[in-house]
DNA sequence: GATATCTAGTCACCATTGGAAACCACATGA
DNA sequence: TCATGTGGTTTCCAATGGTGACTAGATATC
């Protein structure tokens, strides 16, 4: 039974989908499982992310209550990001996706190659 | 055991993540579960999608082997899109996400309101 | 007979988004 | 004195996404 209809643009479910449909958020959340991590640690760990996007992503995740931010008054101020219990439940769900990707990656790649080859002659 | 490292930018897993991190793809896939649907049916069902994005999304999904395209030679040519077995397995995984969204939507919304209120005075 | 409509898209245009790099302030080390 | 590390913000540019016009052929309407 569908309580909410994600196909209506005003549905809050769709808002959450928009958040989840953010590859950086997914990667950040995945890294925070287990232990809190600092800003530049995250930046170095996630290949290809820019400071701007990391900052933006963390801000959104904090606003959504999926990640908590803790500034420590050390010499250069240290900021630690940790996953919240709510974030943990989402991360667990997203892990299923990571597993799907690992399992079916080859099938998808094969399909792409078939498509690219056929597209030239077939269609 | 992590065979692939999604945090490396060249990892194929990340490529799949990019695909999944597309809200339109998720919505289209969700609609195709059960029965094949025509182009304009999809367009009408998904509030807010443009023809361009629908066309683009369907093309990507077909290339990835998640959706199949069948043109029927009727009076105005009809094109039916159906989910493939591979697409079914992904759709099932994504359904867990939809359920998470429905379950935790209120917590997220509450957190956002707290954040927006505190942000003014607190920080 | 001319016009509007339905089918499934494509194309040109513009706004928003994302990425690269500079910059901030402060402290340490060479 | 200049480079490095901390955690970001700001600016600029390229790429992405959305809007609306357009194609083409047959049917329906005026």
């Amino acid at each position: 039974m569908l309580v909410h209809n994600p196909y209506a643009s005003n549905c809050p479910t769709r808002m959450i989908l928009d958040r989840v449909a953010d590859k950086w958020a997914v990667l950040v959340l995945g890294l925070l499982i287990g232990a809190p991590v600092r800003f530049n640690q995250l930046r170095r760990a996630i290949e290809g992310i820019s400071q701007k996007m990391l900052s933006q992503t963390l801000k959104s995740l904090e606003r959504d209550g999926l990640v908590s931010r803790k500034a420590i008054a050390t010499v250069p101020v240290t900021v630690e990001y940790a996953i919240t219990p709510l974030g943990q439940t989402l991360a667990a769900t997203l892990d299923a996706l990571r597993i799907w990707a690992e399992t079916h990656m080859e099938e998808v790649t094969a399909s792409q190659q078939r498509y690219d080859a056929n597209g030239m002659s077939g269609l």
Side-chain angles (χ1 to χ4, degrees), chain A:
Chain A
M1 186 185 64
L2 262 175
V3 181
H4 306 285
N5 173 21
Y7 299 102
S9 55
N10 58 348
C11 174
T13 313
R14 184 125 144 203
M15 193 191 59
I16 302 218
L17 183 59
D18 283 359
R19 162 119 339 287
V20 167
D22 175 356
K23 67 172 173 179
W24 297 130
V26 173
L27 291 170
V28 166
L29 222 52
L31 271 179
L32 294 183
I33 298 172
V37 183
R38 284 181 295 105
F39 185 89
N40 279 328
Q41 279 183 324
L42 284 169
R43 189 159 69 87
R44 280 189 291 266
I46 303 174
E47 225 172 88
I49 196 169
S50 63
Q51 291 104 315
K52 193 179 82 169
M53 286 316 295
L54 180 54
S55 171
Q56 214 172 91
T57 302
L58 287 168
K59 220 175 281 180
S60 301
L61 287 172
E62 192 196 353
R63 194 173 100 96
D64 292 350
L66 302 169
V67 155
S68 67
R69 196 189 114 113
K70 188 171 132 196
I72 304 159
T74 50
V75 184
V77 65
T78 306
V79 182
E80 259 188 8
Y81 292 92
I83 197 166
T84 63
L86 180 60
Q88 290 276 7
T89 66
L90 178 56
T93 308
L94 289 174
D95 206 47
L97 219 59
R98 204 210 68 228
I99 291 167
W100 186 93
E102 291 188 359
T103 309
H104 299 282
M105 202 166 46
E106 287 173 25
E107 294 172 68
V108 170
T109 307
S111 171
Q112 287 176 352
Q113 288 171 359
R114 247 179 292 123
Y115 183 93
D116 293 345
N118 282 11
M120 302 302 155
S121 55
L123 289 172

